[in-house]
Amino acid sequence: MSAVSSRLPVFPWDRLEPYKARAAAHPDGIVDLSVGTPVDPVPALIQQALVEAADSPGYPTVWGTVALRDALTGWVERRLGALAVSHQQVLPVVGSKELVAWLPTQLGLGAGDRVAYPQLAYPTYEVGARLCGATPVVYDDPTELDPTDLKLLWLNSPSNPSGRVLAKDELTRIVAWARTHGVLVFSDECYLELGWEAEPVSVLHPDVCGGSFDGLVAVHSLSKRSNLAGYRSAFIAGDEKVLGELLQIRKHGGMMTPAPVQAATIAALGDDTHVVEQRARYAARRSVLRAALEGHGFRIEHSEASLYLWATRDEPCWQTVGHLAELGVLVAPGDFYGTAGERFVRVALTATDERVEAAVKRLG
């Protein structure tokens, strides 16, 4: 039996453990700003929807209930500006990471095929390519890639880790290039609700896609906007031919969003108030952390959106990680996201107000 794991890089977070132990030794405890995992409560109306659907003894469907599909299409139209979205153009998935990791396999890609993603990127794009034996390719500008055998192009705006936002005209240019060369585009837009100094735009917006979803799929998650990381609630929207194929495969694989989570998702997508409230929490944390980091000698680049500050002291990232660990503050080294991040660290906004205040004091 061949070990599939041998195709994969070392799981990056394992390398951070010694620094986590060092930070945890601080007399006032650790301030963990490394992983972007929500810490604020799940909104009450979402919890209530989950509880009310708890008596769900039967199997859910992969495509989801009609009510869920109505919620997904309605949100895509209302929030992304897409036009006349049908049920065939949406599909719930069991968390966006699962989708990213297994998408190339489910698309039938393999040896000789190429999967491209940004030079600063979420590591799971590379993992997905390697799991199916495809060749991972990084880019700065995707339109400069050789399109030969390029089967899947990942976009990520707002970016994890840098918070960079692709402007509407840039997205339009990339989409036109991909369509010219027959390259399928998946756009990871999981941080779209968290624009600070820029307004993120979806590839499904008519100004970008011309009103057609051909060759385009957007990936969205409720983990950040609604604090539902523990629920594994996400979905994709776009080209119905691509989604139809994925639906058939996922039916055979039993990739079903649990029925109570489907009900919770409907409640979450139908309410904007909790999203505004959560944005305000993150905005306040972002403001004080940014000021503290800059006062400590850091320079912040990009970071106009998302849940992170992309920070540098113009030194190797692990040196910065070690320095902050001595202060009891844990951050993610930039090289987790590619060699272009070797002199940066990613600082998450996902800590309680009390822990953020502690970090600000230590940096001061």
PDB file of all heavy atoms in Angstrom, residues 194-213:
ATOM      1  N   LEU A 194     -15.418  40.628   5.261  1.00  0.00           N
ATOM      2  CA  LEU A 194     -14.503  41.320   6.166  1.00  0.00           C
ATOM      3  C   LEU A 194     -13.570  42.254   5.412  1.00  0.00           C
ATOM      4  O   LEU A 194     -12.340  42.165   5.511  1.00  0.00           O
ATOM      5  CB  LEU A 194     -13.715  40.294   6.989  1.00  0.00           C
ATOM      6  CG  LEU A 194     -14.586  39.435   7.915  1.00  0.00           C
ATOM      7  CD1 LEU A 194     -13.800  38.258   8.451  1.00  0.00           C
ATOM      8  CD2 LEU A 194     -15.151  40.274   9.055  1.00  0.00           C
ATOM      9  N   GLY A 195     -14.137  43.170   4.653  1.00  0.00           N
ATOM     10  CA  GLY A 195     -13.355  44.213   3.993  1.00  0.00           C
ATOM     11  C   GLY A 195     -13.251  45.425   4.904  1.00  0.00           C
ATOM     12  O   GLY A 195     -14.253  45.884   5.448  1.00  0.00           O
ATOM     13  N   TRP A 196     -12.037  45.935   5.080  1.00  0.00           N
ATOM     14  CA  TRP A 196     -11.815  47.088   5.961  1.00  0.00           C
ATOM     15  C   TRP A 196     -11.483  48.341   5.165  1.00  0.00           C
ATOM     16  O   TRP A 196     -12.171  49.351   5.247  1.00  0.00           O
ATOM     17  CB  TRP A 196     -10.680  46.787   6.947  1.00  0.00           C
ATOM     18  CG  TRP A 196     -10.839  45.482   7.661  1.00  0.00           C
ATOM     19  CD1 TRP A 196     -10.037  44.387   7.574  1.00  0.00           C
ATOM     20  CD2 TRP A 196     -11.897  45.103   8.563  1.00  0.00           C
ATOM     21  NE1 TRP A 196     -10.510  43.359   8.356  1.00  0.00           N
ATOM     22  CE2 TRP A 196     -11.647  43.774   8.981  1.00  0.00           C
ATOM     23  CE3 TRP A 196     -13.012  45.769   9.053  1.00  0.00           C
ATOM     24  CZ2 TRP A 196     -12.482  43.105   9.870  1.00  0.00           C
ATOM     25  CZ3 TRP A 196     -13.847  45.097   9.942  1.00  0.00           C
ATOM     26  CH2 TRP A 196     -13.581  43.789  10.338  1.00  0.00           C
ATOM     27  N   GLU A 197     -10.432  48.284   4.376  1.00  0.00           N
ATOM     28  CA  GLU A 197      -9.994  49.443   3.590  1.00  0.00           C
ATOM     29  C   GLU A 197     -10.241  49.234   2.103  1.00  0.00           C
ATOM     30  O   GLU A 197      -9.784  50.007   1.272  1.00  0.00           O
ATOM     31  CB  GLU A 197      -8.503  49.695   3.855  1.00  0.00           C
ATOM     32  CG  GLU A 197      -8.226  50.072   5.311  1.00  0.00           C
ATOM     33  CD  GLU A 197      -6.805  49.759   5.730  1.00  0.00           C
ATOM     34  OE1 GLU A 197      -6.000  49.350   4.868  1.00  0.00           O
ATOM     35  OE2 GLU A 197      -6.489  49.929   6.927  1.00  0.00           O
ATOM     36  N   ALA A 198     -10.941  48.181   1.769  1.00  0.00           N
ATOM     37  CA  ALA A 198     -11.320  47.887   0.388  1.00  0.00           C
ATOM     38  C   ALA A 198     -12.616  47.095   0.428  1.00  0.00           C
ATOM     39  O   ALA A 198     -12.921  46.438   1.426  1.00  0.00           O
ATOM     40  CB  ALA A 198     -10.230  47.088  -0.315  1.00  0.00           C
ATOM     41  N   GLU A 199     -13.380  47.151  -0.635  1.00  0.00           N
ATOM     42  CA  GLU A 199     -14.645  46.425  -0.716  1.00  0.00           C
ATOM     43  C   GLU A 199     -14.453  45.220  -1.637  1.00  0.00           C
ATOM     44  O   GLU A 199     -14.395  45.361  -2.859  1.00  0.00           O
ATOM     45  CB  GLU A 199     -15.750  47.324  -1.259  1.00  0.00           C
ATOM     46  CG  GLU A 199     -17.130  46.677  -1.264  1.00  0.00           C
ATOM     47  CD  GLU A 199     -17.596  46.264   0.130  1.00  0.00           C
ATOM     48  OE1 GLU A 199     -17.349  47.028   1.095  1.00  0.00           O
ATOM     49  OE2 GLU A 199     -18.187  45.181   0.255  1.00  0.00           O
ATOM     50  N   PRO A 200     -14.341  44.011  -1.071  1.00  0.00           N
ATOM     51  CA  PRO A 200     -14.130  42.826  -1.911  1.00  0.00           C
ATOM     52  C   PRO A 200     -15.306  42.585  -2.856  1.00  0.00           C
ATOM     53  O   PRO A 200     -16.463  42.864  -2.527  1.00  0.00           O
ATOM     54  CB  PRO A 200     -14.004  41.696  -0.892  1.00  0.00           C
ATOM     55  CG  PRO A 200     -13.640  42.362   0.401  1.00  0.00           C
ATOM     56  CD  PRO A 200     -14.323  43.693   0.371  1.00  0.00           C
ATOM     57  N   VAL A 201     -14.985  42.060  -4.033  1.00  0.00           N
ATOM     58  CA  VAL A 201     -15.988  41.781  -5.068  1.00  0.00           C
ATOM     59  C   VAL A 201     -15.889  40.306  -5.445  1.00  0.00           C
ATOM     60  O   VAL A 201     -14.795  39.751  -5.540  1.00  0.00           O
ATOM     61  CB  VAL A 201     -15.759  42.655  -6.311  1.00  0.00           C
ATOM     62  CG1 VAL A 201     -16.796  42.346  -7.390  1.00  0.00           C
ATOM     63  CG2 VAL A 201     -15.799  44.127  -5.937  1.00  0.00           C
ATOM     64  N   SER A 202     -17.027  39.682  -5.686  1.00  0.00           N
ATOM     65  CA  SER A 202     -17.051  38.278  -6.084  1.00  0.00           C
ATOM     66  C   SER A 202     -16.851  38.121  -7.587  1.00  0.00           C
ATOM     67  O   SER A 202     -17.232  39.003  -8.380  1.00  0.00           O
ATOM     68  CB  SER A 202     -18.392  37.663  -5.690  1.00  0.00           C
ATOM     69  OG  SER A 202     -18.523  36.348  -6.208  1.00  0.00           O
ATOM     70  N   VAL A 203     -16.305  36.976  -7.990  1.00  0.00           N
ATOM     71  CA  VAL A 203     -16.208  36.687  -9.426  1.00  0.00           C
ATOM     72  C   VAL A 203     -17.583  36.494 -10.046  1.00  0.00           C
ATOM     73  O   VAL A 203     -17.725  36.541 -11.269  1.00  0.00           O
ATOM     74  CB  VAL A 203     -15.346  35.437  -9.725  1.00  0.00           C
ATOM     75  CG1 VAL A 203     -13.901  35.671  -9.383  1.00  0.00           C
ATOM     76  CG2 VAL A 203     -15.897  34.203  -9.036  1.00  0.00           C
ATOM     77  N   LEU A 204     -18.599  36.290  -9.206  1.00  0.00           N
ATOM     78  CA  LEU A 204     -19.955  36.107  -9.723  1.00  0.00           C
ATOM     79  C   LEU A 204     -20.693  37.420  -9.923  1.00  0.00           C
ATOM     80  O   LEU A 204     -21.825  37.423 -10.419  1.00  0.00           O
ATOM     81  CB  LEU A 204     -20.759  35.206  -8.769  1.00  0.00           C
ATOM     82  CG  LEU A 204     -20.174  33.818  -8.495  1.00  0.00           C
ATOM     83  CD1 LEU A 204     -21.139  33.002  -7.650  1.00  0.00           C
ATOM     84  CD2 LEU A 204     -19.835  33.086  -9.785  1.00  0.00           C
ATOM     85  N   HIS A 205     -20.073  38.532  -9.578  1.00  0.00           N
ATOM     86  CA  HIS A 205     -20.699  39.826  -9.821  1.00  0.00           C
ATOM     87  C   HIS A 205     -20.775  40.055 -11.338  1.00  0.00           C
ATOM     88  O   HIS A 205     -19.811  39.785 -12.061  1.00  0.00           O
ATOM     89  CB  HIS A 205     -19.883  40.945  -9.167  1.00  0.00           C
ATOM     90  CG  HIS A 205     -20.596  42.257  -9.129  1.00  0.00           C
ATOM     91  ND1 HIS A 205     -20.751  43.067 -10.245  1.00  0.00           N
ATOM     92  CD2 HIS A 205     -21.213  42.923  -8.103  1.00  0.00           C
ATOM     93  CE1 HIS A 205     -21.415  44.153  -9.912  1.00  0.00           C
ATOM     94  NE2 HIS A 205     -21.717  44.084  -8.634  1.00  0.00           N
ATOM     95  N   PRO A 206     -21.884  40.540 -11.839  1.00  0.00           N
ATOM     96  CA  PRO A 206     -22.026  40.696 -13.300  1.00  0.00           C
ATOM     97  C   PRO A 206     -20.979  41.595 -13.931  1.00  0.00           C
ATOM     98  O   PRO A 206     -20.636  41.414 -15.112  1.00  0.00           O
ATOM     99  CB  PRO A 206     -23.450  41.265 -13.460  1.00  0.00           C
ATOM    100  CG  PRO A 206     -23.871  41.714 -12.099  1.00  0.00           C
ATOM    101  CD  PRO A 206     -23.126  40.889 -11.119  1.00  0.00           C
ATOM    102  N   ASP A 207     -20.450  42.571 -13.191  1.00  0.00           N
ATOM    103  CA  ASP A 207     -19.402  43.420 -13.754  1.00  0.00           C
ATOM    104  C   ASP A 207     -18.115  42.640 -14.002  1.00  0.00           C
ATOM    105  O   ASP A 207     -17.277  43.050 -14.822  1.00  0.00           O
ATOM    106  CB  ASP A 207     -19.089  44.589 -12.811  1.00  0.00           C
ATOM    107  CG  ASP A 207     -20.204  45.608 -12.756  1.00  0.00           C
ATOM    108  OD1 ASP A 207     -21.154  45.493 -13.560  1.00  0.00           O
ATOM    109  OD2 ASP A 207     -20.143  46.513 -11.899  1.00  0.00           O
ATOM    110  N   VAL A 208     -17.950  41.526 -13.296  1.00  0.00           N
ATOM    111  CA  VAL A 208     -16.757  40.689 -13.457  1.00  0.00           C
ATOM    112  C   VAL A 208     -17.002  39.570 -14.462  1.00  0.00           C
ATOM    113  O   VAL A 208     -16.184  39.327 -15.353  1.00  0.00           O
ATOM    114  CB  VAL A 208     -16.331  40.087 -12.098  1.00  0.00           C
ATOM    115  CG1 VAL A 208     -15.181  39.093 -12.275  1.00  0.00           C
ATOM    116  CG2 VAL A 208     -15.940  41.187 -11.129  1.00  0.00           C
ATOM    117  N   CYS A 209     -18.146  38.879 -14.324  1.00  0.00           N
ATOM    118  CA  CYS A 209     -18.384  37.683 -15.139  1.00  0.00           C
ATOM    119  C   CYS A 209     -19.277  37.932 -16.348  1.00  0.00           C
ATOM    120  O   CYS A 209     -19.537  37.001 -17.121  1.00  0.00           O
ATOM    121  CB  CYS A 209     -18.991  36.583 -14.276  1.00  0.00           C
ATOM    122  SG  CYS A 209     -20.677  36.932 -13.690  1.00  0.00           S
ATOM    123  N   GLY A 210     -19.758  39.167 -16.500  1.00  0.00           N
ATOM    124  CA  GLY A 210     -20.617  39.473 -17.636  1.00  0.00           C
ATOM    125  C   GLY A 210     -21.993  38.837 -17.544  1.00  0.00           C
ATOM    126  O   GLY A 210     -22.686  38.684 -18.563  1.00  0.00           O
ATOM    127  N   GLY A 211     -22.392  38.443 -16.336  1.00  0.00           N
ATOM    128  CA  GLY A 211     -23.711  37.839 -16.165  1.00  0.00           C
ATOM    129  C   GLY A 211     -23.740  36.346 -16.409  1.00  0.00           C
ATOM    130  O   GLY A 211     -24.790  35.715 -16.267  1.00  0.00           O
ATOM    131  N   SER A 212     -22.596  35.744 -16.780  1.00  0.00           N
ATOM    132  CA  SER A 212     -22.511  34.304 -17.019  1.00  0.00           C
ATOM    133  C   SER A 212     -21.553  33.670 -16.024  1.00  0.00           C
ATOM    134  O   SER A 212     -20.467  34.205 -15.762  1.00  0.00           O
ATOM    135  CB  SER A 212     -22.007  34.032 -18.444  1.00  0.00           C
ATOM    136  OG  SER A 212     -21.645  32.674 -18.594  1.00  0.00           O
ATOM    137  N   PHE A 213     -21.942  32.510 -15.491  1.00  0.00           N
ATOM    138  CA  PHE A 213     -21.088  31.785 -14.552  1.00  0.00           C
ATOM    139  C   PHE A 213     -20.199  30.759 -15.243  1.00  0.00           C
ATOM    140  O   PHE A 213     -19.506  29.991 -14.564  1.00  0.00           O
ATOM    141  CB  PHE A 213     -21.945  31.052 -13.509  1.00  0.00           C
ATOM    142  CG  PHE A 213     -22.696  31.952 -12.565  1.00  0.00           C
ATOM    143  CD1 PHE A 213     -23.641  31.417 -11.695  1.00  0.00           C
ATOM    144  CD2 PHE A 213     -22.478  33.321 -12.533  1.00  0.00           C
ATOM    145  CE1 PHE A 213     -24.342  32.223 -10.812  1.00  0.00           C
ATOM    146  CE2 PHE A 213     -23.184  34.141 -11.657  1.00  0.00           C
ATOM    147  CZ  PHE A 213     -24.119  33.582 -10.801  1.00  0.00           C
TER     148      PHE A 213
END
